[in-house]
Amino acid sequence: AQSVTQLDSQVPVFEEAPVELRCNYSSSVSVYLFWYVQYPNQGLQLLLKYLSGSTLVKGINGFEAEFNKSQTSFHLRKPSVHISDTAEYFCAVSDSETGTASKLTFGTGTRLQVTL
Amino acid sequence: DAGVTQSPTHLIKTRGQQVTLRCSPKSGHDTVSWYQQALGQGPQFIFQYYEEEERQRGNFPDRFSGHQFPNYSSELNVNALWLGDSALYLCASSSVGGFDEQFFGPGTRLTVL
């Protein structure tokens, strides 16, 4: 069984400030890791994914995340946020042994609120 | 490419009724997964269909059933609706054996009164 913990339910930040959204996971098997973003009344859009290789992953909209196997973490970062980054962010894992089409297990989400 | 499409966008039902939600996958994808997202929560995996068969299932009762058609589109059926079924239902498509992520549709908002 797998689980994902997003410790911060809400993260307020001023525009142009850096931000980090935390994600920790638990799994008995190797995993793939994902960050999705959800804007109001919309579906989920992939920000970035870690499948293998370099532990620092760069995604869209200037976001990046670092996979830390020893700490079972996959924190999301952005050096300078914009008002348009205000959204709900979800961390997710899947079983790498059954491929990227395998079911996703999501965290409860972190609401990023960017203000002027 | 239209991406993943879902219908209807919104739906209102009363307790005890049955509902059918529809999903068309992204072009080139052969696998459809369904997720339930309650208000303020992360999506929860319901089940996945591949080659017209249920491939994986999450912790949902038998009231939740599905189907996949030869053109890879899919339906989610929920019987005997109760208030707790009110949620956003998301469909995601992917390709078995590929390394694409799962692409999500915009969802169907179901309200049970």
Side-chain angles (χ1 to χ4, degrees), chain B residues 14-104:
Chain B
T14 57
R15 284 176 293 174
Q17 285 189 312
Q18 177 264 345
V19 69
T20 298
L21 311 181
R22 296 175 177 82
C23 171
S24 292
K26 187 177 187 295
S27 177
H29 284 179
D30 54 15
T31 302
V32 173
S33 302
W34 287 92
Y35 294 82
Q36 180 195 66
Q37 186 180 17
L39 198 62
Q41 300 296 318
Q44 297 287 318
F45 176 76
I46 302 174
F47 45 53
Q48 182 181 83
Y49 277 83
Y50 170 66
E51 292 188 338
E52 301 180 48
E53 291 190 358
E54 186 180 285
R55 185 168 175 253
Q56 290 182 294
R57 189 178 181 93
N59 189 26
F60 278 80
D62 292 344
R63 297 187 298 110
F64 289 78
S65 63
H67 187 76
Q68 186 179 35
F69 299 93
N71 66 353
Y72 307 120
S73 66
S74 176
E75 288 182 349
L76 163 65
N77 300 292
V78 186
N79 294 321
L81 287 167
W82 65 296
L83 299 180
D85 295 330
S86 294
L88 180 67
Y89 288 84
L90 296 165
C91 169
S93 74
S94 54
S95 181
V96 170
F99 290 94
D100 277 349
E101 71 276 12
Q102 294 188 31
F103 285 79
F104 283 81

Side-chain angles (χ1 to χ4, degrees), chain A residues 32 34 51 94-104, chain B residues 48 55-56 95-100 102:
Chain A
Y32 292 145
F34 306 84
L51 303 184
S94 69
D95 178 357
S96 67
E97 296 176 7
T98 52
T100 56
S102 181
K103 71 172 187 178
L104 293 166
Chain B
Q48 182 181 83
R55 185 168 175 253
Q56 290 182 294
S95 181
V96 170
F99 290 94
D100 277 349
Q102 294 188 31

